[in-house]
Amino acid sequence: MIEVRDLWKAFGTTQAVAGVSFAAQDGEITGLLGPNGAGKTTTLRMLYTLMQPDRGQIRVDGIDAASAPMEVRRRLGVLPDARGMYKRLTARENVEYFARLHGMSALQAHERCSTLLRSLQMEALADRRTEGFSQGERVKTAIARALVHDPHNVVLDEPANGLDVMATRGLREVLRGLRSEGRCVLMSTHVMQEVVALCDRIVIIAYGRVVADGTPEALREQSQQHNLEEAFMRIIGAAALEGAA
């Protein structure tokens, strides 16, 4: 379980995150939605301890990220917005390297890596150097790397970005499998089809704050819209009017 309480972060005079609070539950896929510049990526960077909040609290499985950041990192599988690869290593070597960093034996790393490469339909890429990979190929490798240590909590920043149809279907199956195992999945995305297909709960951020939090059905009811995309637009529009008032 991931809990975020009253999170604030400013960059100079720009208030990027202004009191964000939400919870992502075990056994659910929680979608983090919002327009560009809403504060989603900054929130996620603080969550996985890449960045320190100005104030507020983050807890992962009840563990405070400020007092025990290494323990929190062990409990998280993270797909960041930057997909950086070791370009001279193959996809398999990139993933197995991170498995070894997490303390897995060479055999465990190889077996886990092979399972993920199959799930993400990456067998043809496995032994190619990542230098020259397409955006979608880099994303798939980064997803495998995030999941290799079998984390209980998974944080994904725009996971479907650059994926083709078949790879997207494979990703959905992986995420549904994580949910069925009782894990916590938190996914930032702007692809409404992914939200409809996967998310049990949606947190909408705009202007650095949470403007809606609930199930897809609850958000449609709140906005009086049958279509989830229209509900999202109605909620964002209301937040803009409130901010201008």
Side-chain angles (χ1 to χ4, degrees):
M1 180 178 178
I2 295 170
E3 299 170 276
V4 174
R5 300 176 183 171
D6 195 29
L7 213 59
W8 292 74
K9 185 67 179 181
F11 300 98
T13 59
T14 301
Q15 191 69 55
V17 176
V20 165
S21 297
F22 65 88
Q25 304 289 339
D26 292 345
E28 290 186 353
I29 298 175
T30 301
L32 192 63
L33 277 67
N36 290 337
K40 302 187 302 297
T41 292
T42 299
T43 297
L44 293 183
R45 287 177 177 174
M46 289 188 284
L47 196 158
Y48 54 75
T49 75
L50 184 65
M51 188 181 291
Q52 291 294 318
D54 295 334
R55 71 175 191 262
Q57 186 181 50
I58 297 163
R59 297 178 70 85
V60 177
D61 295 338
I63 299 168
D64 184 81
S67 59
M70 291 303 296
E71 181 59 28
V72 163
R73 290 171 194 164
R74 280 192 285 269
R75 293 171 178 269
L76 291 173
V78 176
L79 175 71
D81 57 320
R83 321 294 199 199
M85 301 281 115
Y86 292 105
K87 294 181 180 180
R88 293 185 178 274
L89 299 182
T90 66
R92 186 188 304 277
E93 288 167 343
N94 266 277
V95 177
E96 289 187 1
Y97 175 65
F98 272 76
R100 297 303 301 276
L101 288 178
H102 281 286
M104 298 172 70
S105 70
L107 179 60
Q108 289 172 327
H110 179 76
E111 291 179 346
R112 177 64 175 162
C113 179
S114 295
T115 298
L116 288 168
L117 295 176
R118 283 194 302 272
S119 296
L120 293 167
Q121 299 183 5
M122 292 179 60
E123 292 97 331
L125 307 175
D127 299 308
R128 282 174 44 197
R129 287 187 178 183
T130 58
E131 187 172 18
F133 267 23
S134 69
Q135 169 70 0
E137 290 166 345
R138 288 196 298 272
V139 170
K140 286 192 282 188
T141 304
I143 290 170
R145 188 177 63 189
L147 300 177
V148 72
H149 60 298
D150 205 22
H152 184 74
N153 306 276
V154 181
V155 178
L156 307 166
D157 197 349
E158 302 288 356
N161 186 24
L163 296 186
D164 59 26
V165 173
M166 295 305 295
T168 298
R169 287 171 65 94
L171 172 64
R172 288 179 183 177
E173 290 307 309
V174 168
L175 297 184
R176 287 173 180 141
L178 293 172
R179 175 174 59 191
S180 69
E181 293 168 1
R183 303 182 198 233
C184 172
V185 180
L186 176 61
M187 177 179 72
S188 168
T189 183
H190 67 277
V191 181
M192 200 58 65
Q193 295 95 321
E194 295 307 301
V195 176
V196 172
L198 293 169
C199 292
D200 303 289
R201 177 168 289 274
I202 299 169
V203 178
I204 299 178
I205 294 181
Y207 309 102
R209 57 191 176 85
V210 173
V211 296
D213 182 352
T215 65
E217 294 77 12
L219 296 189
R220 283 193 289 261
E221 182 176 343
Q222 173 186 331
S223 61
Q224 298 182 331
Q225 297 291 318
H226 295 295
N227 180 280
L228 192 57
E229 184 173 341
E230 292 301 323
F232 172 77
M233 296 302 296
R234 177 70 65 88
I235 291 167
I236 294 296
L241 290 174
E242 183 180 330

